[in-house]
Amino acid sequence: MNTFENVLIIGSGVAGMEASLMLSKAGKKVYLVEKLSLIGGKTIKNEETFPNMDCSTCLVAPIQQEILQDQKIDVMTVSTVQKVSGKAGNFKVTINKKARYVNIAACLGCGMCYPVCPVEQSNEWEENLINKKAIYVPCSGSLPNVPVIDADKCLRLNGSEECNLCVEACMFGAIDFTEKNETIEIEVGGIIVATGFDMLDVSEIENLGYKKYPGVYTAMEFERLFAANGPTEGKLTLRETEKIPESIAIIHCVGRKEVGYCSSICCMYSSKHAQFLKHKLPEAKIYNLYSDICVSDKTYQKFQKNVAKHSSKFIYRDDKSELEITQNDNKLKVSYQNNKGIQDAVTVDMVILANATVPSNDIELLTDVLQIEKDKFGFIDTQSFRIGSVVTSKPGIFVAGCAEGAKDLQSSVLQAEAAVSQILSMK
Ligand SMILES: Cc1cc2nc3c(=O)[nH]c(=O)nc-3n(C[C@H](O)[C@H](O)[C@H](O)COP(=O)(O)OP(=O)(O)OC[C@H]3O[C@@H](n4cnc5c(N)ncnc54)[C@H](O)[C@@H]3O)c2cc1C
Ligand code: SF4
Ligand code: SF4
């Protein structure tokens, strides 16, 4: 007997969400497993998306809502895949679903429980730019809009029985400390891995001054800074000084040498950042320091050229020589070698590092569980030269989106559609 009618999708970014909806419409039962407490992936960290500067929330929220309301999609948040056995058409999967300690059906998402919690911890979803409590939603507008309790940080769950503050604050009786971690067994015919990407940690690259100088930001930190639902509610003020920057340098290709490949999306999102800055701070001086311009889509070149003409000064830097960032009197000096081989510099208030995209941090564990191969960079390997760009080394398991390598939204969705076609053509 096979279980082609059931499909497992791991990761709920744009790729996982697109695949889930398509498969549900084709009549399949979908199990969507997401390790975080919310669905949507990295796109919901963006305020606007290139190339049309569309509002990301307006693009993604209706899809998230549709997923959550779809009777054929079983959304499992705070969950991970622990074990997979069997073969295409008949996989047996063990899922570990952590307790949320908040009853999803009873919670109205009113937010009364967070302010009373005495615990403070760094909010990594917000790129550690602000803190969160032990009971939290990662950001406002999270879907499902239901908090989760961090079992490692909650005082009550760690022996301090007296703490009952969130329970007392909740008028709907939604907090439930009797919830337990669950082990769920399912059977599926096919699997799509859509676990996305992470960003290279650039604090190890000394000459960039990241974490040393407060005016140096990563690209994802900047995304949260300019998001209306982010830590500063979209106010572009520098950390520590709270000053509005008057000059900004955006550095492309950061960590490209370290990872050994072009991340392919940084030129576009760095151009997006420049356009956004020009719009928000028309008087600011903006520089994009690039070594290569990688803009492949037919509309992307026009977008980048337009930014270079109207919003930012694009400066070539030779990446054979190391770039160096130093600080003096709250001003950051970015030194680089120009196209004539001469050392040059720009002095600015803020630096945004377009750091490389890398495989998601638990890819080792997942590829071991699924018994699929990785490529030499650590992304999920595909048989692209033989059969197709979404076919992994194991029959019945497909990959979509940035789990296969860095790409934009459009290409992530295209791969999700291709993976769905592969699932639907399995016999
Ligand atoms: C700074 C920046 C700006 C960008 N701006 C744009 C833009 O303007 N326009 C554009 O087209 N593209 C943009 N991109 C690219 C865009 O973010 C990606 O194309 C998109 O996020 C890829 O979606 P995905 O579903 O493959 O992965 P993700 O969005 O990374 O989603 C993966 C999901 O899988 C979950 N997950 C990971 N591991 C596991 C696991 N083991 N078990 C369960 N769940 C797991 C994650 O929590 C996450 O929810 C930008 C990228 C960056 C870095
Ligand atoms: S758990 Fe209760 S207080 Fe907290 S958001 Fe839900 S309904 Fe509101
Ligand atoms: S019980 Fe835990 S989550 Fe609730 S307020 Fe106390 S420490 Fe915070």
Side-chain angles (χ1 to χ4, degrees):
M1 199 194 93
N2 65 50
T3 43
F4 283 129
E5 290 318 301
N6 301 343
V7 183
L8 166 67
I9 298 181
I10 314 171
S12 72
V14 283
M17 290 197 300
E18 173 75 3
S20 300
L21 283 177
M22 284 185 78
L23 285 164
S24 158
K25 284 186 182 126
K28 303 283 179 195
K29 163 85 191 169
V30 176
Y31 297 95
L32 177 58
V33 171
E34 167 58 54
K35 68 178 174 183
L36 301 180
S37 63
L38 79 177
I39 61 168
K42 306 281 191 305
T43 310
I44 54 173
K45 292 196 178 198
N46 306 155
E47 176 74 2
E48 293 173 348
T49 56
F50 65 72
N52 299 323
M53 302 301 267
D54 295 313
C55 150
S56 301
T57 312
C58 311
L59 283 177
V60 180
I63 303 172
Q64 292 168 289
Q65 291 288 11
E66 204 180 334
I67 296 260
L68 293 172
Q69 281 157 15
D70 193 317
Q71 299 294 316
K72 287 189 81 68
I73 305 176
D74 189 345
V75 180
M76 299 185 204
T77 47
V78 280
S79 300
T80 47
V81 174
Q82 294 300 301
K83 198 172 151 206
V84 174
S85 60
K87 57 181 178 48
N90 207 345
F91 289 112
K92 290 187 174 32
V93 182
T94 308
I95 295 161
N96 177 4
K97 190 170 195 290
K98 280 199 192 153
R100 189 185 269 269
Y101 301 107
V102 179
N103 181 332
I104 289 200
C107 172
L108 293 195
C110 66
M112 298 300 283
C113 51
Y114 336 132
V116 296
C117 176
V119 177
E120 288 282 340
Q121 59 170 327
S122 197
N123 184 344
E124 64 285 354
W125 199 91
E126 289 289 14
E127 304 297 319
N128 304 314
L129 294 168
I130 46 166
N131 281 352
K132 64 181 180 189
K133 299 301 180 94
I135 181 165
Y136 68 94
V137 288
C139 67
S140 69
S142 295
L143 288 171
N145 185 19
V146 175
V148 58
I149 294 181
D150 183 337
D152 294 330
K153 295 285 173 189
C154 167
L155 302 177
R156 176 172 171 149
L157 287 169
N158 287 283
S160 176
E161 281 298 324
E162 310 88 69
C163 192
N164 204 33
L165 291 167
C166 56
V167 178
E168 285 160 13
C170 179
M171 291 184 294
F172 304 97
I175 300 193
D176 179 4
F177 280 105
T178 66
E179 262 190 30
K180 298 267 177 291
N181 294 342
E182 284 177 74
T183 302
I184 299 167
E185 309 278 350
I186 57 168
E187 291 186 5
V188 297
I191 300 174
I192 299 177
V193 186
T195 46
F197 65 99
D198 274 309
M199 305 288 284
L200 180 74
D201 177 5
V202 284
S203 52
E204 301 286 304
I205 310 177
E206 241 177 62
N207 47 341
L208 296 176
Y210 177 64
K211 291 218 168 133
K212 186 169 167 200
Y213 308 133
V216 180
Y217 289 78
T218 63
M220 207 52 111
E221 284 176 343
F222 182 67
E223 289 283 345
R224 292 315 294 152
L225 207 60
F226 90 65
N229 70 345
T232 59
E233 296 173 347
K235 231 167 64 194
L236 273 177
T237 47
L238 295 168
R239 62 185 142 211
E240 291 189 15
T241 61
E242 296 201 5
K243 189 180 161 244
I244 296 173
E246 289 168 7
S247 48
I248 304 108
I250 302 168
I251 320 287
H252 296 219
C253 296
V254 173
R256 185 175 64 169
K257 270 192 207 156
E258 282 76 4
V259 297
Y261 52 85
C262 162
S263 292
S264 77
I265 48 175
C266 331
C267 284
M268 276 303 282
Y269 73 60
S270 295
S271 302
K272 169 179 85 170
H273 291 167
Q275 170 144 330
F276 176 83
L277 281 162
K278 196 68 196 167
H279 180 72
K280 271 259 179 168
L281 309 170
E283 302 304 320
K285 287 199 181 75
I286 304 160
Y287 308 98
N288 279 64
L289 273 74
Y290 71 97
S291 304
D292 272 324
I293 293 287
C294 173
V295 283
S296 54
D297 183 88
K298 62 187 176 206
T299 57
Y300 288 5
Q301 224 171 49
K302 192 171 165 204
F303 178 85
Q304 185 272 326
K305 287 213 161 101
N306 207 29
V307 172
K309 194 167 171 196
H310 299 292
S311 304
S312 173
K313 183 172 178 188
F314 273 63
I315 302 173
Y316 175 80
R317 73 171 171 98
D318 193 334
D319 67 356
K320 285 201 265 324
S321 157
E322 294 296 331
L323 179 132
E324 181 155 34
I325 299 171
T326 48
Q327 180 175 288
N328 197 0
D329 279 345
N330 282 333
K331 285 279 180 190
L332 296 161
K333 185 174 165 196
V334 184
S335 309
Y336 61 94
Q337 196 174 84
N338 70 16
N339 56 352
K340 297 189 177 94
I342 298 166
Q343 273 310 114
D344 211 340
V346 288
T347 301
V348 291
D349 296 324
M350 179 185 204
V351 169
I352 304 168
L353 304 170
N355 47 328
T357 50
V358 293
S360 60
N361 56 21
D362 50 8
I363 197 91
E364 289 287 337
L365 203 68
L366 190 64
T367 49
D368 277 356
V369 166
L370 296 171
Q371 291 174 350
I372 55 174
E373 283 166 21
K374 298 190 295 300
D375 66 19
K376 64 177 177 179
F377 303 116
F379 291 101
I380 292 174
D381 197 22
T382 56
Q383 314 288 300
S384 50
F385 298 109
R386 263 193 318 127
I387 332 173
S389 68
V390 297
V391 177
T392 70
S393 55
K394 186 159 180 167
I397 304 186
F398 306 96
V399 60
C402 292
E404 187 266 332
K407 54 182 69 67
D408 60 12
L409 293 174
Q410 218 178 351
S411 307
S412 300
V413 168
L414 272 174
Q415 268 194 334
E417 290 166 356
V420 166
S421 311
Q422 293 280 359
I423 294 268
L424 294 180
S425 54
M426 277 170 72
K427 288 202 197 74

